[in-house]
Amino acid sequence: SFNSLNHDMTLPEFKFIWYMEYSHRMWGRVVGLAYILPAAYFWRRGWLSRPLKGCVLALCGLVCFQGLLGWYMVKSGLEEKPDSYDIPRVSQYRLAAHLGSALVLYSASLWTGLSLLLPQHKFPETKQLLRLRQYAHGTTALIFLTALSGAFVAGLDAGLVYNSFPKMGEHWIPDDLLAFSPVLRNIFENPTTVQFDHRILGIASITAVTALYLFSRKIPLPRRTRMAVTSLLAVACMQ
């Protein structure tokens, strides 16, 4: 990076970046210990049921995999690319995988914790309730996909290509949307397409969350569930 881009970087500027990276790694290791040490203690004391043991093993394995994936991602930014004159950066594919793994780890941890802390509601499984649950799962998948597309935006610095909204420059659909060949490559490697996709997915996500909220208002739901849906809409609007 110094040879290709930051020739005039001073030692204090380098130290700032170095300590940011170092702190991130140390924090990641602390998070790993926060999973593994209590898990080992609770396991040894016999406080974990058989199903919970499986969850704990999966979470501990996932947190270790997350650290390995982070190393693999950073490694891609340090590799010499003799045929490339681009700015040194990590692979957008590995960045998306690292972010996706973190989201899965966080979601699984939260789900497991809430399942233990809050008793499950018992009420009739109506068609409307089943439809709401299916729609909530679909909305979750859409939000996850939107977040992953954000990793591609970050990895390619695609946010720097267009800075106007809702149009991209003078056009609703930019001219260089499918500039790369084959066409599928544009989705992952063309900064214009990556930003365009992220915008569309973001709009789709906020629309889906709003529709989920409106649909939930028509169904008699427990107070806790209603608060969760309302909070989801509030956070989506803020995002």
Side-chain angles (χ1 to χ4, degrees), residues 49-111:
S49 63
R50 187 165 183 173
L52 194 54
K53 284 181 179 179
C55 289
V56 166
L57 283 177
L59 290 173
C60 289
L62 193 55
V63 78
C64 293
F65 175 72
Q66 174 69 5
L68 184 65
L69 204 53
W71 165 81
Y72 185 61
M73 178 194 72
V74 171
K75 183 174 178 290
S76 68
L78 301 175
E79 294 171 349
E80 293 289 339
K81 302 178 181 70
D83 299 328
S84 174
Y85 299 97
D86 196 9
I87 295 171
R89 57 163 61 95
V90 298
S91 163
Q92 68 271 27
Y93 296 101
R94 300 185 192 184
L95 178 61
H98 190 50
L99 175 64
S101 176
L103 289 173
V104 170
L105 173 62
Y106 179 78
S107 301
S109 301
L110 186 63
W111 184 276

Side-chain angles (χ1 to χ4, degrees), residues 29 31 41 48 58 66 69 86 109 116 128 134 147 159 181 207 214 218 236:
R29 289 167 186 169
V31 170
Y41 176 76
L48 303 178
Q66 174 69 5
L69 204 53
D86 196 9
S109 301
L116 294 170
Q128 280 188 317
Q134 291 172 340
S181 183
T207 303
L214 294 175
K218 299 177 180 179

Side-chain angles (χ1 to χ4, degrees), residues 118-155:
L118 302 175
Q120 189 173 1
H121 286 296
K122 301 290 184 183
F123 49 94
E125 291 280 340
T126 63
K127 285 186 178 180
Q128 280 188 317
L129 186 62
L130 182 60
R131 194 178 304 161
L132 179 68
R133 183 180 288 120
Q134 291 172 340
Y135 191 74
H137 290 162
T139 304
T140 302
L142 181 59
I143 293 170
F144 182 75
L145 187 62
T146 304
L148 288 190
S149 74
F152 281 91
V153 172

Side-chain angles (χ1 to χ4, degrees), residues 87-235:
I87 295 171
R89 57 163 61 95
V90 298
S91 163
Q92 68 271 27
Y93 296 101
R94 300 185 192 184
L95 178 61
H98 190 50
L99 175 64
S101 176
L103 289 173
V104 170
L105 173 62
Y106 179 78
S107 301
S109 301
L110 186 63
W111 184 276
T112 303
L114 290 177
S115 298
L116 294 170
L117 291 171
L118 302 175
Q120 189 173 1
H121 286 296
K122 301 290 184 183
F123 49 94
E125 291 280 340
T126 63
K127 285 186 178 180
Q128 280 188 317
L129 186 62
L130 182 60
R131 194 178 304 161
L132 179 68
R133 183 180 288 120
Q134 291 172 340
Y135 191 74
H137 290 162
T139 304
T140 302
L142 181 59
I143 293 170
F144 182 75
L145 187 62
T146 304
L148 288 190
S149 74
F152 281 91
V153 172
L156 291 170
D157 284 337
L160 304 178
V161 181
Y162 292 97
N163 59 4
S164 57
F165 186 87
K167 287 186 176 181
M168 298 178 73
E170 298 297 321
H171 306 280
W172 289 101
I173 299 177
D175 296 332
D176 54 341
L177 192 67
L178 300 176
F180 290 12
S181 183
V183 175
L184 189 63
R185 189 176 155 219
N186 288 279
I187 299 174
F188 305 105
E189 298 182 13
N190 184 342
T192 297
T193 314
V194 165
Q195 192 194 128
F196 181 80
D197 290 345
H198 187 58
R199 290 179 178 215
I200 298 300
L201 286 167
I203 293 167
S205 291
I206 189 71
T207 303
V209 170
T210 304
L212 178 69
Y213 171 78
L214 294 175
F215 182 51
S216 72
R217 302 293 294 178
K218 299 177 180 179
I219 306 173
L221 294 172
R223 181 172 175 271
R224 195 172 73 205
T225 308
R226 195 169 295 284
M227 283 179 60
V229 177
T230 305
S231 300
L232 176 64
L233 178 63
V235 172

Side-chain angles (χ1 to χ4, degrees), residues 9-22:
M9 180 179 282
T10 64
L11 185 59
E13 288 173 336
F14 173 77
K15 283 183 176 180
F16 176 75
I17 293 174
W18 190 90
Y19 278 117
M20 273 186 30
E21 175 65 21
Y22 181 75

